[in-house]
Amino acid sequence: MAATRTSLLALAAMAVVISTASAAIYNVGEPGGAWDLGTNYDAWASSRNFHIDDQIMFKYSPQAHNLLQVSKADYDSCNTASPLATYTSGNVIVTLSNNSTRYFICGFPGHCAGGMKVKIIVTSTSPAPASGPSASNAPPATPASAATNVKVTGFGLAVLLAVAGLMA
């Protein structure tokens, strides 16, 4: 009986591990900057690989900046007239929920034209591991400063609850 319970518990633990997903949290502009006029966002974004369920965090002073999610055309022209979303809190987390390109700008006059804009390209799958001599030049898929979120899906939770019920 004890061996059966131990086996069921091990099976439940494996099911939970298999059914979890991990996503990175990227602080926009880090390590040296934030959502401000002093950060090169093209360089920052191009050095990262963004995936579905990753989160990007914008930190800024609401008195000095805001955050607008815009279309590609509005991004290219720094047009603030019709944003898709407007954020003004100074601490914004955006979850990258689909395989797409997202465009963000600061809506304060002159800030977008001054470089306060970032294009986030989201891919649906993790890149294949690099190999060979060029592997050391590849940027990390997850930054060292990033935290991860672990989500337990319905299947893993159901198995865990079923095993817990059998053990009671």
Side-chain angles (χ1 to χ4, degrees):
M1 184 70 164
T4 302
R5 283 187 178 176
T6 303
S7 297
L8 287 174
L9 186 57
L11 178 63
M14 288 188 328
V16 169
V17 169
I18 290 171
S19 67
T20 60
S22 163
I25 300 174
Y26 294 93
N27 294 311
V28 174
E30 282 195 353
W35 188 236
D36 58 31
L37 286 163
T39 301
N40 180 336
Y41 296 104
D42 287 336
W44 179 84
S46 67
S47 69
R48 284 145 180 84
N49 297 310
F50 301 101
H51 304 287
I52 293 173
D53 291 332
D54 284 353
Q55 295 180 322
I56 52 175
M57 181 182 298
F58 294 84
K59 294 180 182 179
Y60 57 92
S61 167
Q63 294 78 26
H65 305 291
N66 64 9
L67 178 67
L68 306 178
Q69 183 174 347
V70 297
S71 67
K72 180 183 183 331
D74 288 346
Y75 174 85
D76 291 339
S77 65
C78 289
N79 181 4
T80 62
S82 51
L84 303 172
T86 301
Y87 306 96
T88 59
S89 71
N91 192 18
V92 177
I93 298 174
V94 177
T95 300
L96 305 173
S97 58
N98 57 32
N99 187 17
S100 65
T101 300
R102 303 268 191 102
Y103 302 92
F104 299 94
I105 65 174
C106 180
F108 277 49
H111 289 199
C112 178
M116 228 175 137
K117 57 195 254 182
V118 64
K119 174 174 68 171
I120 305 293
I121 301 171
V122 183
T123 59
S124 60
T125 57
S126 296
S131 61
S134 64
S136 63
N137 296 331
T142 303
S145 63
T148 57
N149 292 334
V150 177
K151 301 174 186 174
V152 179
T153 61
F155 173 74
L157 187 57
V159 170
L160 184 60
L161 291 173
V163 169
L166 290 173
M167 294 179 70

